[in-house]
Short mmCIF file of all heavy atoms in Angstrom, two decimals:
data_model
loop_
_atom_site.label_atom_id
_atom_site.label_comp_id
_atom_site.label_asym_id
_atom_site.label_seq_id
_atom_site.Cartn_x
_atom_site.Cartn_y
_atom_site.Cartn_z
N LYS A 232 113.81 82.83 -92.00
CA LYS A 232 112.77 81.84 -92.29
C LYS A 232 113.01 81.10 -93.60
O LYS A 232 112.12 80.38 -94.08
CB LYS A 232 111.40 82.53 -92.33
CG LYS A 232 110.96 83.11 -90.99
CD LYS A 232 109.54 83.61 -91.05
CE LYS A 232 109.08 84.12 -89.68
NZ LYS A 232 107.69 84.58 -89.70
N ASN A 233 114.21 81.22 -94.16
CA ASN A 233 114.52 80.50 -95.40
C ASN A 233 114.93 79.07 -95.03
O ASN A 233 116.11 78.70 -95.09
CB ASN A 233 115.63 81.22 -96.16
CG ASN A 233 115.75 80.71 -97.60
OD1 ASN A 233 115.29 79.63 -97.93
ND2 ASN A 233 116.38 81.51 -98.45
N ILE A 234 113.95 78.28 -94.65
CA ILE A 234 114.19 76.95 -94.11
C ILE A 234 114.80 76.01 -95.15
O ILE A 234 115.70 75.23 -94.85
CB ILE A 234 112.88 76.33 -93.57
CG1 ILE A 234 112.20 77.29 -92.59
CG2 ILE A 234 113.14 75.00 -92.90
CD1 ILE A 234 113.07 77.69 -91.44
N LYS A 235 114.31 76.09 -96.37
CA LYS A 235 114.80 75.17 -97.41
C LYS A 235 116.28 75.37 -97.68
O LYS A 235 117.04 74.40 -97.77
CB LYS A 235 113.98 75.36 -98.70
CG LYS A 235 112.55 74.85 -98.59
CD LYS A 235 111.82 74.94 -99.92
CE LYS A 235 110.40 74.39 -99.79
NZ LYS A 235 109.66 74.48 -101.09
N LEU A 236 116.71 76.64 -97.82
CA LEU A 236 118.12 76.88 -98.09
C LEU A 236 118.97 76.52 -96.88
O LEU A 236 120.06 75.93 -97.03
CB LEU A 236 118.34 78.35 -98.47
CG LEU A 236 119.80 78.75 -98.77
CD1 LEU A 236 120.41 77.85 -99.82
CD2 LEU A 236 119.86 80.22 -99.22
N LEU A 237 118.49 76.84 -95.68
CA LEU A 237 119.26 76.50 -94.48
C LEU A 237 119.41 74.98 -94.35
O LEU A 237 120.47 74.49 -93.96
CB LEU A 237 118.58 77.08 -93.24
CG LEU A 237 119.33 76.87 -91.92
CD1 LEU A 237 120.73 77.47 -91.97
CD2 LEU A 237 118.55 77.49 -90.75
N GLU A 238 118.37 74.23 -94.70
CA GLU A 238 118.48 72.78 -94.66
C GLU A 238 119.55 72.29 -95.65
O GLU A 238 120.37 71.42 -95.31
CB GLU A 238 117.15 72.13 -95.01
CG GLU A 238 117.22 70.60 -94.99
CD GLU A 238 115.99 69.91 -95.55
OE1 GLU A 238 114.98 70.61 -95.82
OE2 GLU A 238 116.04 68.68 -95.74
N MET A 239 119.58 72.85 -96.85
CA MET A 239 120.59 72.47 -97.84
C MET A 239 122.00 72.78 -97.32
O MET A 239 122.92 71.98 -97.46
CB MET A 239 120.33 73.20 -99.15
CG MET A 239 119.08 72.76 -99.87
SD MET A 239 118.67 73.83 -101.30
CE MET A 239 120.14 73.62 -102.30
N GLN A 240 122.15 73.96 -96.69
CA GLN A 240 123.45 74.33 -96.14
C GLN A 240 123.86 73.39 -95.02
O GLN A 240 125.02 72.97 -94.93
CB GLN A 240 123.41 75.78 -95.63
CG GLN A 240 123.24 76.82 -96.72
CD GLN A 240 123.05 78.22 -96.17
OE1 GLN A 240 122.76 78.40 -94.99
NE2 GLN A 240 123.21 79.22 -97.03
N ALA A 241 122.91 73.04 -94.17
CA ALA A 241 123.20 72.14 -93.05
C ALA A 241 123.63 70.77 -93.54
O ALA A 241 124.57 70.17 -93.00
CB ALA A 241 121.97 72.03 -92.14
N ARG A 242 122.97 70.28 -94.56
CA ARG A 242 123.32 68.96 -95.09
C ARG A 242 124.70 68.97 -95.75
O ARG A 242 125.44 67.97 -95.70
CB ARG A 242 122.26 68.48 -96.07
CG ARG A 242 120.94 68.13 -95.40
CD ARG A 242 119.93 67.50 -96.34
NE ARG A 242 118.72 67.13 -95.60
CZ ARG A 242 118.58 66.03 -94.88
NH1 ARG A 242 119.59 65.17 -94.81
NH2 ARG A 242 117.45 65.78 -94.23
N GLU A 243 125.05 70.08 -96.36
CA GLU A 243 126.36 70.16 -97.02
C GLU A 243 127.50 70.35 -96.03
O GLU A 243 128.54 69.68 -96.12
CB GLU A 243 126.37 71.30 -98.04
CG GLU A 243 127.72 71.47 -98.73
CD GLU A 243 127.76 72.60 -99.74
OE1 GLU A 243 126.72 73.28 -99.91
OE2 GLU A 243 128.82 72.81 -100.35
N PHE A 244 127.32 71.26 -95.06
CA PHE A 244 128.44 71.64 -94.19
C PHE A 244 128.41 70.96 -92.82
O PHE A 244 129.38 71.06 -92.07
CB PHE A 244 128.46 73.17 -94.02
CG PHE A 244 128.82 73.89 -95.28
CD1 PHE A 244 127.83 74.41 -96.11
CD2 PHE A 244 130.15 74.05 -95.67
CE1 PHE A 244 128.15 75.07 -97.28
CE2 PHE A 244 130.48 74.71 -96.84
CZ PHE A 244 129.48 75.22 -97.65
N MET A 245 127.32 70.31 -92.49
CA MET A 245 127.20 69.54 -91.25
C MET A 245 127.64 70.32 -90.01
O MET A 245 128.53 69.91 -89.26
CB MET A 245 128.00 68.25 -91.37
CG MET A 245 127.42 67.27 -92.37
SD MET A 245 125.73 66.73 -91.95
CE MET A 245 126.03 65.83 -90.43
N PRO A 246 127.03 71.48 -89.75
CA PRO A 246 127.36 72.23 -88.53
C PRO A 246 126.84 71.50 -87.29
O PRO A 246 126.02 70.57 -87.39
CB PRO A 246 126.62 73.55 -88.73
CG PRO A 246 125.43 73.18 -89.56
CD PRO A 246 125.93 72.10 -90.50
N LEU A 247 127.31 71.93 -86.15
CA LEU A 247 126.82 71.34 -84.90
C LEU A 247 125.41 71.80 -84.59
O LEU A 247 124.63 71.08 -83.95
CB LEU A 247 127.74 71.72 -83.74
CG LEU A 247 129.18 71.21 -83.83
CD1 LEU A 247 129.99 71.72 -82.65
CD2 LEU A 247 129.22 69.69 -83.91
N ARG A 248 125.08 73.02 -85.02
CA ARG A 248 123.77 73.58 -84.71
C ARG A 248 123.33 74.56 -85.80
O ARG A 248 124.16 75.13 -86.51
CB ARG A 248 123.79 74.29 -83.36
CG ARG A 248 124.66 75.52 -83.31
CD ARG A 248 124.85 76.04 -81.91
NE ARG A 248 125.47 75.05 -81.03
CZ ARG A 248 126.78 74.81 -81.01
NH1 ARG A 248 127.60 75.46 -81.82
NH2 ARG A 248 127.29 73.91 -80.18
N VAL A 249 122.03 74.73 -85.90
CA VAL A 249 121.43 75.75 -86.77
C VAL A 249 120.37 76.46 -85.96
O VAL A 249 119.83 75.91 -84.99
CB VAL A 249 120.82 75.15 -88.06
CG1 VAL A 249 121.89 74.54 -88.94
CG2 VAL A 249 119.75 74.11 -87.71
N SER A 250 120.05 77.69 -86.37
CA SER A 250 119.03 78.45 -85.66
C SER A 250 118.19 79.23 -86.65
O SER A 250 118.69 79.68 -87.69
CB SER A 250 119.69 79.41 -84.66
OG SER A 250 118.69 80.13 -83.94
N VAL A 251 116.90 79.38 -86.32
CA VAL A 251 115.97 80.14 -87.16
C VAL A 251 115.24 81.15 -86.28
O VAL A 251 115.41 81.18 -85.07
CB VAL A 251 114.97 79.21 -87.87
CG1 VAL A 251 115.68 78.39 -88.93
CG2 VAL A 251 114.27 78.29 -86.86
N SER A 252 114.40 81.96 -86.91
CA SER A 252 113.83 83.11 -86.20
C SER A 252 112.74 82.74 -85.20
O SER A 252 112.61 83.38 -84.16
CB SER A 252 113.28 84.12 -87.21
OG SER A 252 112.24 83.53 -87.98
N ASP A 253 111.93 81.70 -85.48
CA ASP A 253 110.78 81.44 -84.63
C ASP A 253 110.60 79.94 -84.39
O ASP A 253 111.18 79.09 -85.09
CB ASP A 253 109.51 82.01 -85.26
CG ASP A 253 109.23 81.43 -86.63
OD1 ASP A 253 108.60 80.37 -86.70
OD2 ASP A 253 109.68 82.03 -87.63
N GLU A 254 109.79 79.63 -83.40
CA GLU A 254 109.63 78.24 -82.97
C GLU A 254 108.98 77.38 -84.04
O GLU A 254 109.35 76.21 -84.22
CB GLU A 254 108.79 78.21 -81.68
CG GLU A 254 108.70 76.84 -81.05
CD GLU A 254 107.99 76.86 -79.71
OE1 GLU A 254 107.37 77.90 -79.39
OE2 GLU A 254 108.03 75.83 -79.01
N GLU A 255 108.02 77.93 -84.75
CA GLU A 255 107.34 77.16 -85.79
C GLU A 255 108.31 76.74 -86.89
O GLU A 255 108.30 75.58 -87.35
CB GLU A 255 106.19 77.99 -86.38
CG GLU A 255 105.22 77.20 -87.24
CD GLU A 255 104.49 76.11 -86.46
OE1 GLU A 255 104.20 76.31 -85.27
OE2 GLU A 255 104.24 75.05 -87.06
N SER A 256 109.18 77.68 -87.32
CA SER A 256 110.18 77.35 -88.33
C SER A 256 111.17 76.32 -87.81
O SER A 256 111.64 75.44 -88.55
CB SER A 256 110.93 78.62 -88.76
OG SER A 256 110.05 79.54 -89.37
N ALA A 257 111.49 76.43 -86.52
CA ALA A 257 112.42 75.48 -85.90
C ALA A 257 111.83 74.06 -85.92
O ALA A 257 112.54 73.08 -86.20
CB ALA A 257 112.74 75.90 -84.48
N LYS A 258 110.54 73.94 -85.64
CA LYS A 258 109.89 72.62 -85.67
C LYS A 258 109.94 72.04 -87.08
O LYS A 258 110.21 70.84 -87.26
CB LYS A 258 108.44 72.75 -85.19
CG LYS A 258 108.29 73.01 -83.70
CD LYS A 258 106.82 73.15 -83.32
CE LYS A 258 106.66 73.43 -81.83
NZ LYS A 258 105.24 73.63 -81.47
N GLU A 259 109.68 72.88 -88.06
CA GLU A 259 109.69 72.42 -89.45
C GLU A 259 111.09 71.96 -89.86
O GLU A 259 111.27 70.91 -90.49
CB GLU A 259 109.22 73.55 -90.37
CG GLU A 259 109.19 73.18 -91.84
CD GLU A 259 108.76 74.34 -92.72
OE1 GLU A 259 108.14 75.29 -92.20
OE2 GLU A 259 109.06 74.31 -93.94
N LEU A 260 112.10 72.76 -89.48
CA LEU A 260 113.48 72.42 -89.84
C LEU A 260 113.95 71.17 -89.10
O LEU A 260 114.65 70.32 -89.67
CB LEU A 260 114.41 73.60 -89.53
CG LEU A 260 115.87 73.43 -89.94
CD1 LEU A 260 116.01 73.17 -91.44
CD2 LEU A 260 116.69 74.66 -89.54
N LYS A 261 113.57 71.05 -87.84
CA LYS A 261 113.97 69.88 -87.05
C LYS A 261 113.42 68.60 -87.67
O LYS A 261 114.11 67.57 -87.72
CB LYS A 261 113.47 70.03 -85.61
CG LYS A 261 114.03 68.99 -84.65
CD LYS A 261 113.69 69.34 -83.21
CE LYS A 261 114.37 68.35 -82.25
NZ LYS A 261 114.10 68.72 -80.83
N ALA A 262 112.19 68.66 -88.15
CA ALA A 262 111.60 67.49 -88.81
C ALA A 262 112.36 67.15 -90.10
O ALA A 262 112.59 65.97 -90.41
CB ALA A 262 110.13 67.76 -89.12
#
């Protein structure tokens, strides 16, 4: 559920996909 850090990692490394533990966190990260 560490959405902020995962977002920073995603922006730096540009993976094809990211995943989190629950749907609510996924909605927040997707936004």
Side-chain angles (χ1 to χ4, degrees):
K232 294 187 177 182
N233 194 340
I234 307 303
K235 289 185 179 180
L236 180 54
L237 184 58
E238 180 190 351
M239 292 172 60
Q240 293 174 345
R242 290 187 177 279
E243 178 180 0
F244 292 96
M245 292 299 294
L247 297 178
R248 66 190 60 80
V249 295
S250 181
V251 290
S252 61
D253 59 86
E254 187 174 12
E255 193 62 34
S256 297
K258 288 178 181 178
E259 180 182 340
L260 184 58
K261 190 170 185 177

